[in-house]
């Protein structure tokens, strides 16, 4: 695998007028999540200024700190009065464990009104003291954005299947199960590592499924996650519960929501009448396998925040990040460094609709800064829209502050020959191989697509009794698959950072110094990977 780390992010800090591929979200996805698309050409503009990029958001939900509902509710509803919307505090499901409250807006009276969070937000932002802490509930997309560009595979843009009626689309991009004899993972005794423990990479994504190479056994969702045998991958029931609570908060307010209750990747298909595999099923396990290939002595912490449709609600991601902040804080304050998380890998994002200066006010940005303050590196996919537009949170790579830990590392994709992938967004921190990558995939998957051609044939007992062309969605016997996207370039860098970290000395110090050591190691790890990429 190949890495290109430029000396600088050319033009990345500038506001670039580049539309790239159009934001296209299928209507069934918007309906599933109660969302709509914000388009700058027809969006309502208020005193806070216009939308500068299109984005997708949950139509009737705003995110805000819970304490704002206690201290400024009258002011909030005062600003909303002109929109004929209201925050009905009696119907808001409060949860002190969550870092932000998901507030469902209501019509303020009996007259019909189109409840729209963007219009409400524009009214609230007229009062700057209120608006800086309130935001939309964005839909976050795995891999980037859908659109049309010759040579760009639909599957990595989301939603479009890579196979046409006559078979694979002839674009050079591969997708499906592969046969590969990979040596079993063989981890060193953590005590023999210079770090004296396994580095931990948290992957916030679609979760995991059965996989023989990762030694993940079949996962029974009727049992508690603590009883699962997840092999070389960890799960964290406490963080996963926060993600669930973020969904429950919306559900209690009567809003349509898919509640994520565990770390198992599901469903395989959204339409049982057709039975085709959801395009993003296996996305998280694919990322985990890339990390394990590069850094076999690392531990992947799988946190499910995203459905198999490739959509994560922003509040679920914020909840997971806050869970990581709490876990790392506990590790550093108690000295129990087995709880430490060293790197966070995010293969998702959304176009940020406000100006660049406002990105740092996002609830995700705040949690990322909290992680960086603790010495945790954050890696994010740059997006697949063939654009220089800012894709959040990867675009936080251009924000610098007084924190010692490096900013977010945004990652674009390279082809196997080292050229830049046609679809990759530009001006990331670095690039890594992200095209026709082979990694792990849940062996729970055998959906409804069938071989294009087959005839009966005698075969070994237990195997298909056919001669046939490849079955493109039958993963039952192969723990590996091939896939493409900046989604898979990001864990490439995360894996190399973990590998660099395990070779760094850790010293016996007072508990108060664990945080300083973590921040120093994080900066050194980035320098090691950057130097090796030259």
């Amino acid at each position: 695998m190949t890495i290109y780390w430029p000396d600088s992010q050319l033009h990345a800090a500038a506001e670039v007028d580049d539309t790239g591929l159009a934001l296209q979200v299928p209507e069934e996805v918007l309906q599933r999540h109660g969302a709509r698309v914000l388009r700058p050409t027809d969006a309502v503009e208020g005193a806070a200024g216009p939308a500068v990029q299109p984005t997708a958001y949950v139509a009737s939900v705003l995110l805000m700190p819970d304490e704002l509902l206690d201290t400024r509710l009258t002011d909030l509803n005062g600003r909303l009065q002109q929109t004929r919307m209201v925050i009905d505090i009696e119907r808001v499901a409060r949860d002190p464990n969550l870092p932000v409250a998901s507030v469902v807006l209501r019509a303020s009276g009996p007259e019909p009104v189109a409840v729209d969070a963007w219009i409400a937000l524009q009214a609230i932002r007229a009062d700057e003291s209120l608006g800086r802490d309130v935001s939309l509930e964005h839909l976050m997309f795995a891999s980037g954005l859908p659109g049309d560009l010759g040579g760009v595979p639909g599957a990595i843009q989301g939603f479009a299947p890579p196979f046409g009626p006559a078979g694979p689309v002839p674009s050079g991009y591969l997708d499906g199960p592969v046969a590969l004899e990979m040596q079993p993972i063989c981890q060193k005794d953590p005590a023999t590592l210079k770090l004296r423990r396994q580095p931990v990479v948290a992957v916030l994504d679609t979760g995991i499924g059965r996989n023989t190479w990762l030694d993940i056994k079949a996962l029974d969702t009727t049992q508690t996650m603590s009883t699962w045998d997840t092999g070389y991958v960890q799960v964290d029931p406490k963080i996963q519960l926060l993600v669930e609570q973020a969904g429950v908060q919306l559900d209690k307010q009567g809003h349509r929501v898919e509640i994520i209750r565990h770390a198992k990747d599901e469903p395989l298909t959204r339409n049982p009448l057709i039975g085709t595999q959801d395009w993003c099923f296996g996305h998280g396990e694919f990322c985990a396998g890339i990390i394990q290939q590069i850094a076999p002595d690392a531990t992947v912490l799988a946190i499910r925040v995203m459905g198999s449709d490739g959509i994560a609600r922003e509040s679920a991601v914020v909840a997971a990040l806050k869970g990581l902040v709490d876990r790392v804080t506990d590790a550093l304050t108690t000295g129990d460094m087995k709880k430490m998380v060293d790197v966070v890998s995010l293969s998702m994002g959304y176009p940020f609709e406000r100006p660049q200066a406002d990105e740092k006010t996002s609830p995700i940005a705040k949690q990322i800064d909290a992680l960086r303050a603790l010495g945790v590196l954050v890696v994010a996919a740059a997006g697949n829209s063939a654009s220089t537009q800012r894709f959040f949170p990867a675009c936080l790579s251009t924000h610098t502050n007084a924190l010692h830990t490096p900013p977010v590392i945004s990652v674009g994709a390279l082809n196997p020959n080292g050229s830049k992938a046609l679809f990759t967004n530009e001006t990331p921190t670095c690039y890594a191989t992200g095209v026709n990558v082979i990694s792990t995939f849940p062996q729970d998957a055998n959906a409804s697509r069938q071989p294009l051609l087959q005839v009966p044939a005698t075969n070994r007992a237990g195997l298909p009794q056919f001669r046939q062309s490849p079955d493109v969605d039958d993963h039952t016997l192969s723990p590996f698959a091939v896939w493409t996207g900046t989604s898979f370039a990001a864990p490439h860098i995360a894996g190399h950072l973990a590998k660099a970290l395990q070779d760094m000395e850790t010293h016996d110090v007072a508990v108060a110094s664990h945080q300083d050591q973590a921040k120093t190691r994080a900066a050194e790890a980035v320098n090691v990977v950057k130097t090796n990429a030259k």
Side-chain angles (χ1 to χ4, degrees):
M1 293 186 179
T2 308
I3 298 174
Y4 165 47
W5 203 301
D7 291 328
S8 62
Q9 289 178 261
L10 297 177
H11 314 302
E15 297 283 1
V16 181
D17 184 17
D18 174 10
T19 57
L21 299 182
L23 177 59
Q24 301 169 21
V25 187
E27 187 62 31
E28 65 268 22
V29 173
L30 296 174
Q31 289 182 11
R32 183 179 304 133
H33 297 280
R36 60 167 54 104
V37 174
L38 175 71
R39 302 192 186 281
T41 53
D42 54 23
V44 171
E45 181 179 340
V52 297
Q53 285 197 109
T55 197
Y57 64 102
V58 182
S60 60
V61 176
L62 289 175
L63 302 183
M64 62 187 70
D66 194 68
E67 57 268 22
L68 201 64
L69 295 171
D70 291 323
T71 60
R72 303 292 302 275
L73 179 63
T74 300
D75 296 330
L76 287 166
N77 277 333
R79 296 304 317 164
L80 289 174
Q81 187 174 6
Q82 60 185 299
T83 69
R84 295 192 294 159
M85 289 179 266
V86 69
I87 298 172
D88 185 351
I89 196 63
E90 298 300 322
R91 300 173 71 180
V92 175
R94 311 287 291 275
D95 190 334
N97 296 315
L98 295 174
V100 291
S102 298
V103 177
V104 177
L105 300 166
R106 315 283 179 180
S108 60
E111 301 85 4
V113 58
V115 175
D116 188 329
W118 171 254
I119 294 174
L121 186 59
Q122 289 295 84
I124 290 171
R125 284 188 185 145
D127 181 340
E128 187 177 351
S129 67
L130 284 174
R132 63 171 175 257
D133 292 320
V134 183
S135 63
L136 298 174
E137 164 89 292
H138 296 90
L139 297 189
M140 302 187 71
F141 300 88
S143 303
L145 311 177
D148 295 310
L149 181 66
V152 175
I156 63 151
Q157 300 170 69
F159 318 121
F163 290 88
V169 175
S171 61
Y173 299 96
L174 306 176
D175 179 35
V178 296
L180 177 67
E181 292 291 337
M182 181 84 79
Q183 288 294 317
I185 297 172
C186 183
Q187 292 187 330
K188 300 184 183 80
D189 180 349
T192 66
L193 302 176
K194 289 185 178 180
L195 190 61
R196 292 195 278 183
R197 61 175 177 82
Q198 292 176 313
V200 177
V201 181
V203 175
L204 278 62
D205 215 283
T206 61
I208 55 175
R210 181 178 68 86
N211 186 278
T212 52
W213 191 71
L214 292 172
D215 200 27
I216 302 173
K217 304 300 190 291
L219 305 177
D220 185 352
T221 57
T222 66
Q223 303 295 317
T224 60
M225 286 188 355
S226 60
T227 67
W228 291 0
D229 185 349
T230 56
Y232 294 102
V233 178
Q234 286 185 357
V235 294
D236 188 320
K238 189 173 181 180
I239 296 177
Q240 203 63 61
L241 179 59
L242 282 175
V243 175
E244 178 181 354
Q245 289 171 330
V248 169
Q249 185 175 56
L250 280 175
D251 183 65
K252 286 183 176 179
Q253 296 176 76
H255 196 279
R256 176 182 299 173
V257 61
E258 290 190 343
I259 301 174
I260 295 176
R261 300 188 183 277
H262 51 71
K264 185 177 186 292
D265 193 341
E266 62 178 22
L268 175 62
T269 181
R270 293 276 166 179
N271 189 339
L273 298 180
I274 299 175
T276 51
Q277 179 181 303
D278 254 16
W279 84 269
C280 205
F281 181 85
H283 192 268
E285 187 149 296
F286 202 92
C287 293
I290 293 169
I291 293 164
Q292 286 297 156
Q293 290 179 65
I294 295 168
D297 293 311
T299 293
V300 173
L301 175 63
I303 302 168
R304 183 169 168 242
V305 297
M306 185 188 301
S308 55
D309 61 353
I311 299 294
R313 286 177 296 100
E314 187 171 15
S315 58
V317 177
V318 174
L321 291 171
K322 179 58 166 64
L324 288 171
V325 170
D326 293 343
R327 172 174 165 143
V328 173
T329 300
D330 184 50
L332 295 174
T333 55
T334 64
D336 184 2
M337 296 303 287
K338 291 181 180 179
K339 297 180 180 178
M340 184 64 183
V341 174
D342 302 281
V343 185
V344 176
S345 185
L346 298 170
S347 292
M348 69 183 83
Y350 62 86
F352 196 85
E353 78 282 357
R354 288 184 281 154
Q356 178 179 336
D358 290 344
E359 291 167 353
K360 61 188 177 183
T361 67
S362 157
I364 285 182
K366 292 175 182 177
Q367 296 302 324
I368 286 176
D369 273 355
L371 286 167
R372 290 178 55 220
L374 297 171
V376 180
L377 292 164
V378 179
V379 180
N384 302 337
S385 57
S387 172
T388 54
Q389 279 190 331
R390 299 180 67 78
F391 189 63
F392 184 88
C395 58
L396 292 174
S397 62
T398 63
H399 289 266
T400 58
N401 51 29
L403 295 175
H404 183 70
T405 305
V408 169
I409 300 166
S410 59
V411 189
L414 299 176
N415 289 309
N417 68 355
S419 63
K420 290 181 181 178
L422 190 64
F423 57 82
T424 189
N425 282 3
E426 269 298 336
T427 64
T429 309
C430 59
Y431 298 81
T433 305
V435 175
N436 295 348
V437 178
I438 293 176
S439 188
T440 48
F441 200 88
Q443 290 171 262
D444 311 292
N446 184 10
S448 63
R449 292 187 185 276
Q450 297 296 313
L452 193 63
L453 299 170
Q454 70 176 30
V455 293
T458 303
N459 202 353
R460 199 188 80 194
L463 297 178
Q465 303 297 302
F466 298 104
R467 295 168 59 90
Q468 58 184 208
S469 54
D471 188 332
V472 298
D473 60 8
D474 184 354
H475 296 264
T476 51
L477 289 186
S478 175
F480 301 102
V482 60
W483 212 343
T484 290
T486 58
S487 277
F488 311 124
H492 183 143
I493 296 298
H496 279 283
L497 290 170
K499 190 173 183 179
L501 284 164
Q502 76 182 40
D503 292 330
M504 293 182 180
E505 297 282 358
T506 188
H507 304 287
D508 293 320
V509 294
V511 169
S513 298
H514 282 300
Q515 185 170 340
D516 292 335
Q517 278 200 73
K519 290 188 286 188
T520 299
R521 281 195 301 264
E524 290 177 356
V526 171
N527 287 332
V528 167
V529 176
K530 185 176 181 179
T531 300
N532 290 343
K534 298 298 184 184

